[in-house]
Amino acid sequence: MATPILVVDDSGMSRKLVIKSLPVNWDVEIHQACNGQEALALYREGKAHIIFLDLTMPIMDGFEVLEAIKREGLNAFVIVISADVQPKAQERVKELGAIAFLKKPIKAEEVLHVLKEHGLL
Amino acid sequence: MTMNNANLSIEQIDALQEIVNIAMGQAGDSLARVLDSFVRLSVPRIRLINAPQISQYIAEIVGDAEQITAMRQSFYNNFCGEALTLFSSEGCRDLAPLMGYQQPLDAETEKELLFDISNILVGACLNGIAEQLGADLNFSAPSIMAANVASSQLFSPDTLPWAYALQVEVNFSLEDHKFKSHLIIMLAEDAIIALGDSLNSFIEAI
């Protein structure tokens, strides 16, 4: 069965770049959200086994999404993909349960590395 | 005034937004390292406006009542224009201890502090944009445009040398501090056209 993955970013271009960086022939069902609120709704519907999450977003940002998911039992692998590259941002998302922090612009080999490292491929 | 000559499509704005997002992340990181503090970044907002409207937009961003200090720094080479960094006057004083300056600040020291911050933000942000677009930029030294004035007094529309303002609203704020700053990029008409061409190449490469 295809793995449900969720790509969360307020920029359509950025979502496109994330989707393009995913391994080819990976059996996934891709869902997209443009803010944290939409992302949480999809997560609760079980449409997010793996989440590619931006941090800086309107309505609800990535930190808040991580907090909510953590509160609700962290039933997803969250890979943060952010332009906010401050060491403190990286520390915070790890504390909140993200498995990895990737800097924008995203690189396909880094995505591949994280997925392999966590046995997600 | 019409904007027939210089315009950016929705797709170009979306690309620019993401480019600016990455650039401001780098700028925020530089600032965070200097201040040893966590910098809150907002979602950048991009609008191409006629320069004479700029006072109105600035009032919208910073609020009418707020006293602001503005720095200007021009850039040239592939794109020509000017970057304005706006600070709330109160926030500047709040920043001094983080930069290792003794309070109270004398005018000379305050100026020095603003030059430093402006250089960091403008340099990192514009270099980040230029780098992603494969463009080269050079910068002149920053200068003070106005100190402690109401936002409405910042510009007299007749004296603006630029036809367009690419209003890149990038807000940096510090947790537990009053410091806030806004960055606005002013561009001449041919620079907007050159920017549009660069964005097209960027979009095609995706």
Side-chain angles (χ1 to χ4, degrees), chain A residues 61-98:
Chain A
D61 69 21
F63 292 108
E64 292 171 284
V65 173
L66 277 166
E67 279 160 18
I69 290 177
K70 197 181 179 190
R71 236 182 0 250
E72 294 175 20
L74 196 62
N75 193 21
F77 294 93
V78 184
I79 298 165
V80 168
I81 298 173
S82 175
D84 185 347
V85 294
Q86 297 175 69
K88 272 190 187 157
Q90 306 193 29
E91 272 167 40
R92 278 187 195 190
V93 302
K94 293 278 178 69
E95 278 166 20
L96 289 168

Side-chain angles (χ1 to χ4, degrees), chain B residues 29-74:
Chain B
D29 186 47
S30 304
L31 189 62
R33 284 170 201 275
V34 172
L35 301 177
D36 195 21
S37 197
F38 186 66
V39 177
R40 281 248 168 229
L41 305 170
S42 70
V43 179
R45 214 165 40 145
I46 309 236
R47 279 192 295 194
L48 186 61
I49 58 177
N50 288 318
Q53 290 173 294
I54 195 163
S55 292
Q56 181 195 330
Y57 284 101
I58 287 174
E60 247 174 60
I61 301 171
V62 298
D64 266 334
E66 195 131 19
Q67 290 260 300
I68 54 175
T69 292
M71 307 291 293
R72 71 199 301 176
Q73 189 166 5
S74 52

Side-chain angles (χ1 to χ4, degrees), chain B residues 183-202:
Chain B
L183 186 69
I184 294 170
I185 300 171
M186 313 280 286
L187 293 166
E189 198 168 307
D190 53 355
I192 305 258
I193 293 164
L195 177 64
D197 291 344
S198 294
L199 287 169
N200 287 343
S201 312
F202 179 85

